[in-house]
Amino acid sequence: MLILAHVSDVHIDGSPRSIDRTRSVMRRLENLPGPLDAVVVTGDIADNGLIQEYEIARELLTTRHPTIICPGNHDARSAFRKVMLDEDGDGPVNQVLRLDGLTVALCDSSVPGRPEGFLEDETIAWLRDVLAESPETPAIIGMHHPPVSLGIPYVDAIRLRNPERLEEIVRQYPQVAAVIVGHAHTAASTTFAGLPLSVAPGVVSTLLLDQELDIPVPVDYDLPPQIAIHVFDEGRLVTHVRPVL
Ligand SMILES: [Fe+2]
């Protein structure tokens, strides 16, 4: 059995609000009585993609657990790479974490300067290579943008634009057990290409359905930050959601 904490959309912008919420979440993970197999962070790390924001994020997101982080639409690849990974370059930031019995492949679905998601050819090729390398090991694919609509027009308009490329891969590599994403700031579960699709809640805010809040973009800033905790056992992903008060 493997346990993954899934943190998403911390949107560090230098304000006490985003910093305090992220600190609370990370403190919760740090103070767990046992180790986690991984902490997975699915994007929107820095609200404006600034070096100073990443410097704060790097400090906050540093943990005793193995950690893997991908960019979201608010991130800037070169600044993300420089501060979070100590690397240079502005291509897609794709990363893999190989655990004992599970591969976690985090794809960069961001499009520089744009809010919607897209998997570039380089990312697709990288993902194929990662999965081809260990076909016997179950895998979870993560990224920022959901590949399907979630019933929230604001976020559905900026979802992943080429889900067919992801579906092709998922169907080609049967070891893929689930897809996990962020972006929507709401804990949600659905399916994609016959697999579970788990959407992480937001740390900085919670996006509601239009039916729940009658404002153009139904964001609730009062609900507490939340995280998902995934249990991966016997090839199945079970997702628990926890508010962090
Ligand atoms: Fe976000």
Side-chain angles (χ1 to χ4, degrees):
M1 186 168 74
L2 293 160
I3 309 290
L4 315 179
H6 185 179
V7 176
S8 200
D9 295 84
V10 297
H11 287 263
I12 297 297
D13 59 2
S15 72
R17 182 194 152 72
S18 61
I19 292 173
D20 290 350
R21 282 181 163 239
T22 305
R23 185 176 287 126
S24 299
V25 160
M26 296 311 292
R27 191 177 290 146
R28 169 72 62 93
L29 300 182
E30 207 61 17
N31 291 340
L32 291 175
L36 292 167
D37 293 290
V39 176
V40 181
V41 189
T42 49
D44 281 358
I45 308 305
D47 197 46
N48 304 291
L50 301 175
I51 290 281
Q52 306 91 289
E53 294 172 338
Y54 287 113
E55 284 168 348
I56 298 169
R58 178 176 170 145
E59 195 180 324
L60 290 170
L61 297 175
T62 297
T63 157
R64 66 189 168 99
H65 313 289
T67 302
I68 185 168
I69 306 176
C70 73
N73 53 295
H74 280 255
D75 290 298
R77 287 173 174 174
S78 59
F80 178 104
R81 213 186 231 109
K82 193 172 196 56
V83 181
M84 306 303 288
L85 304 175
D86 287 320
E87 293 173 5
D88 290 320
D90 53 11
V93 184
N94 300 311
Q95 293 165 95
V96 62
L97 181 63
R98 294 188 188 277
L99 302 170
D100 186 12
L102 182 68
T103 301
V104 182
L106 273 197
C107 301
D108 185 346
S109 61
S110 72
V111 182
R114 302 285 309 165
E116 70 272 16
F118 189 85
L119 295 171
E120 295 179 22
D121 288 345
E122 179 181 331
T123 299
I124 295 288
W126 171 85
L127 183 55
R128 277 188 200 287
D129 286 348
V130 165
L131 295 170
E133 202 172 303
S134 52
E136 305 301 324
T137 306
I140 291 175
I141 298 174
M143 64 190 66
H144 183 65
H145 294 81
V148 300
S149 291
L150 303 174
I152 302 178
Y154 172 73
V155 80
D156 291 346
I158 52 173
R159 70 181 185 275
L160 188 73
R161 285 281 189 267
N162 58 345
E164 67 285 353
R165 300 295 304 278
L166 181 61
E167 177 159 3
E168 201 181 316
I169 291 184
V170 159
R171 295 205 185 276
Q172 187 181 349
Y173 294 94
Q175 77 262 38
V176 180
V179 179
I180 63 173
V181 299
H183 193 44
H185 297 217
T186 178
S189 58
T190 179
T191 59
F192 172 74
L195 293 178
L197 171 65
S198 182
V199 183
V203 168
V204 79
S205 63
T206 299
L207 192 58
L208 301 176
L209 300 172
D210 285 357
Q211 289 78 0
E212 294 176 283
L213 191 61
D214 189 22
I215 56 176
V217 180
V219 182
D220 187 309
Y221 293 99
D222 296 326
L223 287 169
Q226 298 172 72
I227 56 170
I229 300 176
H230 303 295
V231 178
F232 187 76
D233 194 24
E234 297 182 349
R236 184 186 297 119
L237 191 77
V238 182
T239 302
H240 304 257
V241 177
R242 294 287 177 266
V244 179
L245 299 167

